[in-house]
Amino acid sequence: MKVMLFFPPNWTPAMPHLALPSLTAYLRERGVEVIQRDLNAEVFDRILTRDYLLRSLERLRQRRPRSGTPAWELWHWALANGPALARQIEGAKRVIKSHAFYDGPRSLPAFETMIQALQLASLPYYPSTLHLQGYDSAYRADSSRAILQAVQDRNQNMFIELFEEMVVPDVLREQPDVVGISIPSVNQVIPGLTIAHLVKQSGARAHVTIGGPMASIWREQLPGLPQMFRLFDSAVVFDGEEPLYRLCQAVHAGSPLDDVPNLIYFGGERVRITARQEQARLQDLPAPDFDGLPLDKYLAADLVLPLATTRGCYFGKCAFCNVGYGEPEAFSQQRSETLERQMLLLLEKYGCRHIFFVDEALTPRLMRELSPRLEAKGAPIFWGGCARFEKTYTRELLEAMSRGGCCMLLFGLEAGSQRIMDRMVKGTRLEIIRRILPDSTAAGIWNHTFFFFGFPGETLEDAQQTVDFLYENAAYINSAALGTFLLERYAPAHTFPWLYGITKIIERPDADLGFYFDYEVASGMDAATAELVMQRFEESLPVKAFPQFYCNDVYRFLYAAHLKAIGAPRPPWLGVPALA
């Protein structure tokens, strides 16, 4: 049996996603031949080259846009600056992928060149745009009609030609039984389904299946949209390891797919749904296998690899979060000795000294067990991940984590108003947060916070409390990500809107694959006001001299690890220095 696994753009091109290595390890352990391809890393590596940018310029010269339009201005910018960008891009990429990245004045021009090069590469497909943080398609990713058009539109889908060169010949040569495409995010919907469409159109004999969070989110919609199965043969929902293995067995043997769990597929002139299986426990799964991924192509100064300490969220009650996608989760946690062994294996096998835990939230208990184990080994690995503001994160525990190699924690603050946190069912207290932030700073840990404006019922006064809280604790916050409330399918606020003051959920008739929804509230700010509040707050933030260090979670993590390694102070996000 042979399977080819593809991870499409756009995801952070600085680190592999954990989906493919997890599936690969499970399948290889059972004797399946696996070829895993991180097309996200490969696409960025190919686009950021002199040859690709010169090819983009030539296309632009042949496609003169209408005078006076935004495209006209960008076209002139590209023709004027494109030749220099083409000359500079490969040197800039080398800087970003070397320790010169940590030299702010040196890496800033390289970073700006990379950003502009992506804009140049995208312009022939305007208004579709590929950038480091995402992919803005000219087509909606929540409409089956739009998706079916997008995967065939060579004028506005830059991935068609790329994948015809990078994917189709390899699939035809390898002749796998199954082609699997993981689609974790909205940004990857159109690129991922473009891969599926091209493989189906190529005449390859492979069974094409999609998986990942987007497939799970669409599990109720896909059975009513048989036209989507022109692009793929099946969708694996929820846990993918055992279902994908069983699918490979069935396809290889030519057997019916009815006994493959967690599967939605088109068969016998209708869409069929198979039985769900019990969620696997993390401790029963093999360690992720990164063999075959292009580890030299990631846009990062040091290799960063992901691991998971848990599966699911141990809290799992936040009203804005759709973890579990509307179904009860079977939370499971890795043993500290197993996790330590996996970390040291990545160090030994790949020379990886930076590990990013991709959990919903690290558990204090596991951190208490893991940290002294790593400290006893000399703390050879820098690590970080997301955490909740739990009272069990004591000063002593945070110091132990730091001694064990922890250099960054990403906390879900969400709001600085206790009333709003209670409405969110966040389960945290401001007095606990006020203690943890200075304690983790004193321990030598970079504090990153997430927060947003506009949860239903939030007033301008509540939003001001959040701003006030941030400035009151500015000495202990090193970076932050802000936004506005999004009503996601299967989040408690979507499933039980009346409990959170949502009076109406607006479903667009053309969004038959909707995952975000507009809404109306009984009181507080509406979505437009929340957006305005966020914009005004962003405008008030101090300008960062070296924004490249704050571009994404991986760059922040690497910068935090670098500062910890050289014993340098961590800069405060709001420009207020930490107290001695």
Side-chain angles (χ1 to χ4, degrees), residues 16 30 141 146 243 304 316 353 407:
R30 284 152 182 78
V304 183
R353 292 179 51 82
C407 62

Side-chain angles (χ1 to χ4, degrees), residues 16 37 48 156 166 178 180 204 239 273 279 319 344 370 390 400 434 440 457 471 484 498 503 506 536 577:
R37 296 275 301 276
L48 297 175
Q156 294 184 322
M166 301 169 67
V178 173
D239 282 12
I273 305 171
Q279 188 176 26
L344 295 177
L370 177 66
E390 303 281 16
R434 288 190 177 99
S440 52
Y471 276 96
T484 57
W498 60 90
T503 57
I506 302 167
R536 292 291 182 266

Side-chain angles (χ1 to χ4, degrees), residues 350-501:
Y350 305 110
C352 177
R353 292 179 51 82
H354 298 80
I355 290 176
F356 197 99
F357 292 124
V358 294
D359 310 69
E360 297 290 337
L362 302 169
T363 67
R365 177 181 174 182
L366 184 57
M367 295 301 97
R368 188 175 296 111
E369 296 174 356
L370 177 66
S371 299
R373 286 178 171 274
L374 295 172
E375 182 184 4
K377 293 289 193 303
I381 297 168
F382 293 109
W383 52 273
C386 294
R388 286 175 49 80
F389 284 111
E390 303 281 16
K391 64 181 180 181
T392 43
Y393 276 113
T394 63
R395 176 75 169 265
E396 294 72 23
L397 175 55
L398 291 164
E399 289 175 345
M401 291 167 63
S402 181
R403 292 194 303 271
C406 179
C407 62
M408 184 172 78
L409 288 174
L410 301 88
F411 289 107
L413 170 64
E414 320 307 359
S417 161
Q418 189 64 58
R419 186 182 79 86
I420 294 303
M421 283 203 292
D422 292 343
R423 285 180 66 89
M424 293 176 181
V425 199
K426 183 63 186 175
T428 51
R429 305 295 302 175
L430 287 177
E431 59 267 25
I432 300 298
I433 300 173
R434 288 190 177 99
R435 175 188 62 77
I436 289 177
L437 286 173
D439 282 355
S440 52
T441 293
I445 295 173
W446 179 293
N447 290 325
H448 179 82
T449 61
F450 299 98
F451 65 94
F452 60 89
F453 297 106
F455 188 79
E458 183 179 22
T459 64
L460 286 171
E461 291 75 18
D462 293 315
Q464 185 62 54
Q465 287 182 37
T466 295
V467 174
D468 292 344
F469 182 88
L470 292 166
Y471 276 96
E472 289 166 8
N473 294 274
Y476 313 113
I477 299 173
N478 305 108
S479 59
L482 66 155
T484 57
F485 171 70
L486 292 175
L487 183 60
E488 298 182 335
R489 183 180 295 277
Y490 297 127
H494 174 257
T495 305
F496 310 106
W498 60 90
L499 295 178
Y500 305 98

